[in-house]
Amino acid sequence: MAMQKLKTGFSINFGSAARTSLFEGEKEHRVPSAAAVLRESNLFEMAGRMIGHSFLHGAFCFSGLSLPVVTLLTGGSTDTAVSTLTLRDCPDLDHREIIGFLKNAELTAEETNSVTDLCLSWDLPVPTSTNHDWLFQELLSHAVLKRVKQPIKQIRKGLKETGIWPLFSDRPDVHPIIFPRESHEELYPQAVIQNIHWLQPKCDSDEEEDDPVPLDKVSLVTGFLRKFIEEASPEVLRDLMKLWVGWELLTRNLIVEVVTSTYPVSLTCFFKLKLPSHYQTYKMFHQDMMMAISSISSGFGLV
């Protein structure tokens, strides 16, 4: 849940938006925000501590960071980070488009003016017929790395405060574990199904409890869930995991229980999804599951 908050932002209003995002950019190319108010608030140190403690306690780590940013965070050289930069690492789409002009064989007058204005604003030489490749790398480096140098230092400071820095220095093989790629976390229906523990009704218990759900209803509803998972897109599966356990990554020992209730709800701390027993058709089951999934930002299925 903590790592998901780092990705999606916190409900803190600094005057420009109701939600404050510490990271920006697209999947696998996220970089720290360059906003001055975030640097001054030391929120990036907090982010570093969150990432470090999440790793130490065996929880999910922060995925999807830009590889050049990961290189700098883990003590790599600036030259190594710059050499792996791509246009997709630039979170500002306007800057990305202008920098991309330098990949053209010839620049139009309008493109030249746009590149020149950007160069002057960042105190860099203007484009000439011979410096396009060099200028492309300099502009991209400035847009992605130099503007977020301070946030990267603050995240690193937060990581050091958790005591894991010696591990970073001595074991480069743990870098992909602490900062995994999102492409390695894709969810597949069969993988989800294999990690489900299907609770059976207890008909022989001596304890006083509500009447157990009949086995035929349990089989019907759990069959609906299996079909829902098998037909779900990767995006729906991620949202299902958020509903079920509070984050979008696959978790072992997922629990399903069929109960007497109105709507699907989840107990995220126990990895338990509680499904109503009243469904007679898959259409109604699918409708309520999608409604529950759509509520994950406001209550994890408590619709």
Side-chain angles (χ1 to χ4, degrees):
M1 182 61 181
M3 296 300 99
Q4 186 63 26
K5 280 291 186 182
L6 282 184
K7 288 184 182 181
T8 59
F10 297 89
S11 298
I12 304 173
N13 190 346
F14 282 112
S16 60
R19 183 169 292 274
T20 298
S21 298
L22 299 187
F23 296 86
E24 54 188 3
E26 60 184 84
K27 180 179 178 180
E28 304 286 36
H29 299 275
R30 292 187 179 91
V31 299
S33 172
V37 66
L38 298 181
R39 296 198 305 270
E40 295 165 359
S41 64
N42 293 324
L43 283 174
F44 289 107
E45 288 186 28
M46 175 203 70
R49 291 192 293 270
M50 289 173 65
I51 294 169
H53 283 298
S54 185
F55 170 74
L56 288 174
H57 291 280
F60 294 107
C61 294
F62 191 70
S63 61
L65 269 183
S66 164
L67 284 176
V69 172
V70 172
T71 298
L72 295 181
L73 279 176
T74 54
S77 68
T78 301
D79 289 342
T80 302
V82 170
S83 67
T84 59
L85 280 171
T86 69
L87 275 175
R88 295 181 67 187
D89 292 315
C90 181
D92 189 304
L93 297 182
D94 291 332
H95 290 164
R96 185 190 298 188
E97 180 182 15
I98 294 172
I99 296 170
F101 290 155
L102 292 168
K103 285 297 185 181
N104 299 337
E106 296 287 341
L107 297 183
T108 65
E110 184 179 354
E111 291 172 347
T112 300
N113 290 336
S114 297
V115 175
T116 298
D117 289 343
L118 186 60
C119 290
L120 293 176
S121 68
W122 289 346
D123 296 323
L124 290 171
V126 298
T128 66
S129 59
T130 60
N131 71 349
H132 283 196
D133 290 340
W134 174 85
L135 191 56
F136 173 86
Q137 206 66 34
E138 287 297 310
L139 286 171
L140 192 57
S141 176
H142 192 285
V144 179
L145 300 178
K146 292 181 181 178
R147 297 175 68 237
V148 296
K149 184 181 298 184
Q150 193 61 31
I152 289 175
K153 288 183 178 179
Q154 291 182 3
I155 296 172
R156 191 187 300 139
K157 181 180 179 181
L159 287 168
K160 289 181 178 179
E161 290 176 359
T162 65
I164 67 172
W165 192 255
L167 183 66
F168 269 79
S169 303
D170 300 336
R171 294 285 303 276
D173 56 308
V174 305
H175 298 174
I177 299 175
I178 300 175
F179 297 108
R181 312 312 299 155
E182 286 182 325
S183 58
H184 298 164
E185 300 171 346
E186 289 292 338
L187 291 175
Y188 300 97
Q190 197 58 38
V192 175
I193 291 172
Q194 289 175 352
N195 283 278
I196 294 177
H197 175 58
W198 309 87
L199 288 183
Q200 297 296 323
K202 298 179 181 180
C203 300
D204 57 350
S205 175
D206 294 330
E207 299 180 5
E208 292 185 6
E209 57 183 21
D210 296 334
D211 292 336
V213 177
L215 186 59
D216 59 333
K217 289 189 175 181
V218 172
S219 299
L220 180 64
V221 174
T222 53
F224 288 161
L225 177 63
R226 180 183 291 270
K227 181 178 180 180
F228 181 86
I229 293 172
E230 290 174 342
E231 296 179 351
S233 66
E235 291 76 17
V236 171
L237 286 178
R238 282 196 294 270
D239 287 342
L240 176 62
M241 286 298 101
K242 291 180 190 177
L243 168 72
W244 204 325
V245 300
W247 51 73
E248 61 184 21
L249 303 181
L250 183 60
T251 302
R252 294 182 179 181
N253 300 320
L254 298 169
I255 298 174
V256 175
E257 185 177 10
V258 180
V259 297
T260 302
S261 64
T262 304
Y263 295 113
V265 296
S266 62
L267 304 177
T268 55
C269 294
F270 301 100
F271 303 162
K272 180 181 285 189
L273 182 64
K274 305 183 79 171
L275 301 174
S277 61
H278 61 74
Y279 294 111
Q280 297 296 320
T281 64
Y282 177 71
K283 180 180 180 181
M284 290 302 301
F285 176 85
H286 184 276
Q287 178 179 303
D288 283 0
M289 283 299 297
M290 294 304 296
M291 181 172 60
I293 285 175
S294 69
S295 73
I296 54 178
S297 61
S298 58
F300 294 103
L302 300 178
V303 294

